[in-house]
Amino acid sequence: MRILIVEDEAAISRILERGLRAHGHQIVIADTGEDGLVLAEDETLDLVILDIALPGLNGHQVLERIRSSRPRLPVLMLTARDDIKNKVDALNAGADDYLTKPFAFEELLARIRAVTRRLDQPESSQIVAGNVRLDLLAQRAWRDDTLIELSRREFALLEYFMRHPHQVLSRPQILSAVWEYDFDPESNVVDVYVLYLRNKVDSPGQPSLIQTVRGAGYRFEPPPD
Ligand code: CA
């Protein structure tokens, strides 16, 4: 893959570059948000690794502009330890994932695989549950005939629910299926994303498609056709 690293700390970008090259990736480096943005808009890329704390344009601002020009380009954010607000902001702003510094290189590789796996697995089929339809190839979702705007992660979560209708799915199950690595068990990322999804796929005045099962997790209950 061709990966853009946007990081002002040369020591970190050097380590990332060396490790990722050793795994067969091509690397482009920017040490400011401004340069990163230019490269993200002009270069052919499969992934951006974007530090949040940058001089000048910060990671959030860069992410916002990347999202408006290249909405499907996977972006993995780097955050400082325990910076919960930055993590939540990053996910809200459309980052596909985030990684807390310092991190083990293996963890970075696992997350790169997770955020880019869909690029390698084109599927042609559609999934339909009740009045919700997913096109896996186009990565699009409809409720009745209305297109639902979903981020990559929201789409993956909805796909997982739709592949397991009427089943109680625990948070750890959902984390490992949709996020593909061991998330902090204290993390509320599943709950946050379920809220996002409900806001987008539920019809006003109707029961939620994604029901909370107290003490157990969530269950996808599609309405009858
Ligand atoms: Ca930095």
Side-chain angles (χ1 to χ4, degrees):
M1 286 194 300
R2 193 165 162 82
I3 301 174
L4 169 64
I5 299 169
V6 187
E7 165 64 87
D8 60 310
E9 290 164 75
I12 293 180
S13 56
R14 259 201 309 275
I15 290 169
L16 291 176
E17 178 182 22
R18 199 175 305 145
L20 291 171
R21 280 195 202 282
H23 283 80
H25 299 295
Q26 293 174 281
I27 303 301
V28 184
I29 292 181
D31 59 6
T32 66
E34 287 81 353
D35 288 351
L37 194 58
V38 170
L39 291 169
E41 288 174 349
D42 294 348
E43 294 271 323
T44 302
L45 296 170
D46 301 298
L47 173 72
V48 179
I49 298 175
L50 177 60
D51 189 31
I52 287 181
L54 294 168
L57 273 186
N58 67 33
H60 292 302
Q61 294 165 316
V62 174
L63 174 64
E64 195 176 308
R65 299 199 198 177
I66 291 176
R67 276 290 161 260
S68 66
S69 59
R70 300 187 64 180
R72 311 215 68 81
L73 179 60
V75 177
L76 181 61
M77 302 288 281
L78 301 181
T79 74
R81 180 170 283 285
D82 295 334
D83 195 346
I84 300 295
K85 183 174 185 311
N86 264 334
K87 293 172 185 175
V88 172
D89 287 349
L91 294 174
N92 278 338
D96 294 275
D97 206 345
Y98 61 79
L99 196 54
T100 303
K101 291 195 262 189
F103 48 82
F105 199 77
E106 288 306 316
E107 190 182 7
L108 173 68
L109 292 176
R111 298 203 189 192
I112 289 174
R113 280 195 295 275
V115 299
T116 59
R117 75 189 192 279
R118 284 165 192 288
L119 299 177
D120 309 326
Q121 297 178 349
E123 294 174 76
S124 59
S125 58
Q126 297 204 344
I127 306 178
V128 179
N131 58 348
V132 181
R133 178 164 56 93
L134 294 189
D135 182 324
L136 298 169
L137 188 61
Q139 293 272 298
R140 291 185 140 189
W142 291 265
R143 173 153 190 149
D144 297 315
D145 287 320
T146 307
L147 184 65
I148 309 167
E149 293 289 335
L150 297 175
S151 71
R152 178 183 296 267
R153 185 73 71 188
E154 289 164 346
F155 188 94
L157 180 58
L158 182 58
E159 178 185 341
Y160 183 64
F161 276 126
M162 288 178 68
R163 287 184 187 278
H164 303 86
H166 315 295
Q167 293 177 26
V168 176
L169 302 169
S170 70
R171 287 175 182 77
Q173 250 179 312
I174 296 169
L175 273 175
S176 72
V178 177
W179 277 262
E180 284 196 347
Y181 50 82
D182 292 325
F183 223 94
D184 174 2
E186 300 299 311
S187 163
N188 67 346
V189 69
V190 171
D191 307 281
V192 170
Y193 269 81
V194 165
L195 275 183
Y196 294 163
L197 264 189
R198 281 176 174 156
N199 283 332
K200 293 185 175 184
V201 303
D202 287 345
S203 300
Q206 300 294 314
S208 178
L209 297 183
I210 304 165
Q211 306 200 340
T212 302
V213 183
R214 199 171 291 279
Y218 294 102
R219 187 176 58 223
F220 183 75
E221 287 292 351
D225 290 314

